[in-house]
Amino acid sequence: MLAMSDIDMTQFLPLFADTGVPAAFLVPTPTGYEKSIMDAIGSVRALLKEEGIHDYEAQRQGPKAKQMWESYFVTANGLVETQASLYRPVTKKGDPRIWFKNLKQYCKPCNLLALFIFENKIHVLNLSDVTVQNSIAQQGFVYELLQQIKCSKQSVAMELLHKIERIHKQGFLPSVTPGDPGVGDTLEHALGISRNNAKTPDYKGIELKSTRLTRHGFARNATRPTLFTKVPDEGLTYREIVETYGKWQTPRGGSAERLQLYETFTTQRVNAYGLKLEINTEKDRLDMLYVRQGRLREYVCSWNMENLKDALLLKHRETFWVKACSKDHDGREYFRYDKVLHTKKPNASLLAPLLASGKITVDLAAHFKEDGKWRDHGMLFKIKPEDIQLLMGEPVVYDLL
């Protein structure tokens, strides 16, 4: 589709790179233009998913599942309101489709369209339009709009940083929930946002990850922050993994045994449940294997590596890694948030090597209650704090002390 463009796309890439505006490109083919149909190619699907607009993978086929989204055509002098139609037809495999109301009034077949998201709306920019090109070259409306988006992204980070600075100045805050989740829950409560178990970031596109620097006034081994959660793509579900490989054990502080599996999985060793991870380079996936008698290996489940990369990029396009000093008083834990590490754009190509080296591990925490009810915390992909820069690059550090 992009090969049919009537203009060279590469000349516009420096503009989007300089402004830091994520964009996806589309070219309406003559046939698609006449039928009012455009394929939502991979880059378009990724952009909409990463920006929290739409996930085609979760969408059912057929007209009843069609989604309409408020959108704009960007002209040389302003914005023209339109609507995006996001759907998967019943025919064939339900290949993802996208179309914009009145698109034929805005462009011609084979024009190069750039899609980007601003203020939770899809914006369509016709880069083949000479007036649009002039607006960019002469720093007119289009250029100013992209600069505005660039500044807004920077201002969100500064806005969040200033809020955390004010929370730091309040001193030690009582934990709003007991145990390890308290350090993150307390910060989010102070920021006025609810606890987030979704796949999308916490604060206006920025993910928040909080860990303890100290506990009971002493330095401690830092907890491994969760990068993202992802259930296996193939093989056993994590519930079936517990049913098959879990053990009957009495939990700490409990009085009765329960079937449970609370363990870390790594490529470096077989864990106490006989399970380990392995990178399958031939099929580009992460496998979980059951190892018997030290050598016989049975396939358990697997994750497609591309899906793991998508989960990482969706969750961590921009992240604040917040470090807290912790202390106990009258049986309750208190936190003071002292440091922020700011990272952007993880290098997803390094995910497989970091899994292979054991720098990234997977935790499964799940059990069946005494009454048979299921309880789980998901499949958690974790990394040690000191290894974050291997994936995210060198962070910008804000020492609030």
Side-chain angles (χ1 to χ4, degrees), residues 174-214:
S175 180
V176 299
T177 51
D180 284 340
V183 62
D185 290 350
T186 303
L187 176 60
E188 292 181 0
H189 181 265
L191 288 167
I193 57 179
S194 58
R195 186 177 180 183
N196 175 22
N197 290 320
K199 296 180 181 179
T200 51
D202 297 295
Y203 187 90
K204 299 181 181 180
I206 299 177
E207 176 68 6
L208 281 166
K209 287 295 180 184
S210 304
T211 54
R212 297 172 177 83
L213 283 167
T214 63

Side-chain angles (χ1 to χ4, degrees), residues 356-369:
S357 65
K359 300 291 187 181
I360 295 177
T361 56
V362 180
D363 278 18
L364 172 57
H367 67 267
F368 288 91
K369 295 183 178 180

Side-chain angles (χ1 to χ4, degrees), residues 370-387:
E370 292 180 24
D371 58 6
K373 291 184 178 179
W374 169 255
R375 177 71 185 276
D376 76 90
H377 301 283
M379 301 288 273
L380 314 175
F381 284 73
K382 291 175 172 281
I383 189 169
K384 291 182 179 179
E386 62 267 27
D387 293 329

Side-chain angles (χ1 to χ4, degrees), residues 20 29 101 112 136 143-144 166 241 249 273 326 348 351-352 363 372-373:
T29 65
K101 183 180 179 181
L112 177 64
I136 295 171
Y143 178 87
E144 290 298 331
R166 289 195 292 270
I241 293 171
Q249 297 170 318
Y273 294 82
S326 165
L351 191 60
D363 278 18
K373 291 184 178 179

Side-chain angles (χ1 to χ4, degrees), residues 15 31 52 83 92 134 184 218 254 280 284 322 366 369 384 400:
L15 172 69
T31 302
Q83 277 191 316
K92 298 182 180 179
N134 291 337
F218 296 95
N280 188 326
D284 193 29
V322 186
K369 295 183 178 180
K384 291 182 179 179
L400 305 184

